[in-house]
Amino acid sequence: MADDPHFETRAIHIGQAADEATGATIVPVYQTATFTQDAIGENRGYEYSRSGNPTRDALEAALASLEGGRFALAYGSGMAAIHGVMQLLSAGDHVVVCDDLYGGSYRLFTKVMPGFGVRFSFVDATRLDEIERAIEPATVMLWIESPTNPMLRMIDIAACGEIARRKQLKLVVDNTFATPYLQNPLELGAHVIVHSTTKYIGGHSDVIGGAIVVDDEATAAKLSFTRNATGGVPGPWDAWLTLRGAKTLALRMRAHEANAQQVAEFLRERPEVERVHYPGFPDHPGFELARRQMRGFGGMVTLDLAGGAPAAKRFAESTRYFSLAESLGGVESLIGYPWTMSHGAFEPEVKRSKGITEATVRLSVGIEHADDLCSDLTRALERAVSAR
Ligand SMILES: *Cc1c(COP(=O)(O)O)cnc(C)c1O
């Protein structure tokens, strides 16, 4: 609709009208476990904060709007949200999953869910024929991430949506890396979106959280019921911090992206660097697809060092502004060594099949000044090589 407010405006206003009780301009932190009832069976819309809390409701309204979905549910972590989606399944169900997957999701799918009778097949989802081949009569769900972690490959969400429609599967997209600012999977045919709001949506590395966004009312009702029954909710403070972060998502993503582009171009010219994986390069295999299904290329850059494992490790330990840490998507730059950090849970041959080697380093490019980030990386590259 032509007069729908834009993303930036929705991030600041949807779900965030002045507080009815006090006029507080900013949604208050309703730090309360319970709500006093006017009479038995009469309340003002809230009874107990596991079931519903006004601060959490505000966050959910904003997130639903940012993803262009009708319903959002906030969770205590991205993994709690992912587990929430798992609770849509029953024993005997089968799920086809992209093999380039967040390590925590891989752990849940391989170590926890099989005990509940749910089976998973992992496929290279950049190849649609592999997805089709893995579908069985018991398959009910297709699970993808795009861009993938850490190699930043692109999976065609609309094409997966078409397969899901034809085979009557639910298509789930983990949209954490892309963010709703750059990609809206529901518009591309997905049925369920999950987020780790810990990353770009929260944006300041100061709160853990997750969310699910759906359009279908029956799915939303089932998720809401199981979340209340199992309890994976965020507290009011965490909901508030996440909402505070989400207000600036558009600004931050533009800064992350501009910096990532500069860092990626800089790294590509350095002799210490063997290869830079960045979807904004026209020679990246997912470039055209990224241009089609995203509104930008994001803030992540992955590189392979020419000097192998020793150089990569020394590089990752030598930066000053890039903190050596798990996670991504905060205003501060982070550097990670996927082989033992984010992807430590994968078997070595699985890692190699995804293109992750002991020379691979992942950067979450923050919003510091790009020149300072490039100087920092220059120093670290020089150190990484000189110590050889
Ligand atoms: C971090 C992350 C998760 C898990 O979220 P938590 O908030 O750490 O529980 C899931 N998916 C992706 C892509 C992630 O990066």
Side-chain angles (χ1 to χ4, degrees), residues 198-200 202-206 252 256 259 299-300 320-335 363-368 373:
T198 310
K199 314 295 168 50
Y200 285 108
H204 298 73
S205 303
D206 52 11
R252 287 185 285 104
H256 281 298
N259 280 1
M300 302 297 294
R320 181 160 125 209
Y321 297 130
F322 285 84
S323 303
L324 178 63
E326 296 286 6
S327 202
L328 61 112
V331 290
E332 72 296 326
S333 293
L334 299 179
I335 189 165
L363 303 177
S364 171
V365 182
I367 65 168
E368 302 93 335
L373 297 180

Side-chain angles (χ1 to χ4, degrees), residues 86-105:
M86 290 292 103
Q87 290 164 2
L88 295 171
L89 303 170
S90 308
D93 285 347
H94 174 255
V95 184
V96 175
V97 188
C98 68
D99 60 6
D100 217 352
L101 182 73
Y102 177 67
S105 306

Side-chain angles (χ1 to χ4, degrees), residues 168-218:
Q168 300 192 319
L169 317 177
K170 261 194 168 59
L171 173 62
V172 185
V173 177
D174 184 333
N175 204 31
T176 300
F177 267 49
T179 82
Y181 182 65
L182 297 180
Q183 175 171 285
N184 299 118
L186 291 178
E187 284 172 5
L188 298 166
H191 304 95
V192 179
I193 297 172
V194 295
H195 277 287
S196 168
T197 58
T198 310
K199 314 295 168 50
Y200 285 108
I201 290 178
H204 298 73
S205 303
D206 52 11
V207 58
I208 298 279
I212 302 177
V213 184
V214 297
D215 253 342
D216 176 51
E217 190 161 5

